[in-house]
Amino acid sequence: MSLTAESHRIPLSDGNSIPLLGLGTYADPQKTPKGTCLEAVKIAIDAGYRHIDGAFVYYNEHEVGQAIREKIAEGKIKREDIFYCGKLWNTCHPPELVRPTLEKTLKILQLDYVDLYIIELPMAFKPGDALYPKDENGKFIYHETDLCATWEAMEACKDAGLAKSIGVSNFNRRQLEMIMNKPGLKYKPVSNQVECHPYFTQPKLLEFCRQHDIVIVGYSPLGTSRDESWVNVSSPPLLKDPVLNAIGKKYNKTAAQVALRFSIQRGVVVIPKSFNPQRIRENFQIFDFSLTEKEMKEIEALNKNVRYVELLM
């Protein structure tokens, strides 16, 4: 089986296609040294990754854009080889803010378009310069959001050629149906990015999305870091699971590689986040083996309906 990312893409309902494996670039700007993301993206492109998942709120889109441009200049890739996903943040839901926000992302990336632009969360914060606006008591300041109006502004971005495809993130079935049943809908969401891994397999949402040609993109496909500020650390670490490790032993693979393979065999796109060169390369080595039906069922049975990322806001 070929190890190139290009031969492992999944079609989107708008005629575009998305590589099954991407590099997540989430970073805490307080803890991540400058240039870390730049080097990680360059290593990932050299390893064969063509899908990069980013966001304005990660504070590193300038590094992602620089890495892509440098690899284009080297002749390693063309712009059309790369699939970049950007995200609309919670403070930018009012329709008049959607296009300017995407244009800001494109200016930071120094790219003409993103391949996928998604609404990051189905809830809004008060618009303004503060990305996490809080009152004097330290409580988040929310903003009433009309997801259908936000979606119409997303459609306009696609029509303008600023985004090739548009989708959503962290949406449940009810929120997806709200968009899909909107009068005058021009484009339905092509994807829904949600937490998805062997301990949180999302069977009902996955089936609903399949029925409507919406691709699930799974974040935290290996579980997460054990950062108590945003992670449910009471849940057991996914990669220590004995079933994943036993199956990995059989194929001479790591538990992480087995978890990623499990997801892509279910048709779930995975975007493991890593800035570690060895792990970036290791995570890509999942196209040279397949899990049996029995092994897929064993891993499915690990589901605990456990969210690592609790999105407490």
Side-chain angles (χ1 to χ4, degrees):
M1 207 181 279
S2 163
L3 274 174
T4 64
E6 290 310 296
S7 55
H8 298 282
R9 296 176 79 101
I10 191 165
L12 298 173
S13 57
D14 61 0
N16 202 356
S17 67
I18 182 170
L20 274 163
L21 175 66
L23 178 76
T25 60
Y26 169 78
D28 182 335
Q30 256 55 67
K31 300 174 185 172
T32 309
K34 194 178 169 188
T36 304
C37 181
L38 169 69
E39 288 311 310
V41 173
K42 291 201 287 188
I43 287 161
I45 290 172
D46 285 341
Y49 289 76
R50 296 297 178 261
H51 176 178
I52 311 294
D53 180 82
F56 171 72
V57 81
Y58 298 170
Y59 297 97
N60 57 14
E61 282 190 311
H62 58 293
E63 293 189 18
V64 175
Q66 185 184 336
I68 292 169
R69 293 193 314 276
E70 284 184 17
K71 287 296 163 187
I72 291 170
E74 281 175 26
K76 175 80 184 174
I77 49 165
K78 299 187 182 79
R79 168 64 187 94
E80 56 270 27
D81 297 333
I82 290 292
F83 187 99
Y84 182 77
C85 172
K87 303 184 183 79
L88 181 77
W89 182 237
N90 309 356
T91 53
C92 308
H93 279 210
E96 67 277 10
L97 296 181
V98 174
R99 179 167 176 163
T101 302
L102 175 51
E103 286 173 338
K104 191 173 180 182
T105 273
L106 293 173
K107 194 175 176 185
I108 292 167
L109 289 164
Q110 293 182 44
L111 298 175
D112 296 329
Y113 64 90
V114 293
D115 299 272
L116 176 62
Y117 198 53
I118 62 179
I119 300 174
E120 189 156 356
L121 282 158
M123 46 75 73
F125 288 148
K126 178 190 171 188
D129 292 334
L131 292 178
Y132 297 91
K134 292 182 179 177
D135 63 18
E136 61 278 8
N137 300 314
K139 295 253 177 19
F140 286 113
I141 306 172
Y142 295 99
H143 184 75
E144 196 168 310
T145 188
D146 178 350
L147 287 173
C148 291
T150 304
W151 187 254
E152 284 174 9
M154 297 280 285
E155 291 177 323
C157 288
K158 178 170 163 62
D159 281 338
L162 302 178
K164 290 205 163 184
S165 299
I166 51 175
V168 296
S169 180
N170 298 300
F171 274 49
N172 61 27
R173 175 178 175 155
R174 181 182 63 80
Q175 291 151 346
L176 285 167
E177 284 178 331
M178 195 192 307
I179 301 281
M180 293 190 298
N181 297 332
K182 183 187 83 65
L185 180 73
K186 204 167 184 185
Y187 308 112
K188 70 178 183 185
V190 299
S191 62
N192 185 16
Q193 189 179 122
V194 294
E195 181 175 343
C196 194
H197 47 73
Y199 284 177
F200 194 47
T201 54
Q202 301 262 30
K204 287 182 182 172
L205 186 62
L206 183 56
E207 185 51 37
F208 174 79
C209 287
R210 272 195 189 125
Q211 288 168 3
H212 294 278
D213 288 327
I214 298 169
V215 171
I216 289 278
V217 177
Y219 66 74
S220 299
L222 304 176
T224 60
S225 69
R226 310 300 281 176
D227 184 336
E228 290 185 23
S229 65
W230 59 280
V231 171
N232 171 9
V233 291
S234 67
S235 303
L238 177 68
L239 299 184
K240 294 199 172 158
D241 187 274
V243 173
L244 296 178
N245 281 282
I247 292 171
K249 205 169 177 187
K250 173 185 165 185
Y251 294 105
N252 198 23
K253 294 289 179 182
T254 64
Q257 289 167 322
V258 172
L260 294 175
R261 182 72 209 187
F262 165 73
S263 288
I264 67 167
Q265 277 189 218
R266 300 172 80 218
V268 172
V269 173
V270 286
I271 46 170
K273 178 259 161 178
S274 181
F275 291 155
N276 177 307
Q278 184 189 336
R279 289 207 191 105
I280 289 171
R281 295 184 190 106
E282 210 172 69
N283 289 342
F284 197 78
Q285 307 302 313
I286 59 169
F287 299 113
D288 56 350
F289 78 109
S290 293
L291 299 169
T292 65
E293 202 173 319
K294 178 172 174 283
E295 288 161 346
M296 288 292 288
K297 284 196 164 60
E298 282 173 13
I299 299 172
E300 268 171 25
L302 299 176
N303 182 41
K304 305 178 194 300
N305 285 323
V306 157
R307 276 184 199 274
Y308 285 109
V309 184
E310 295 188 300
L311 299 172
L312 297 175
M313 84 280 277

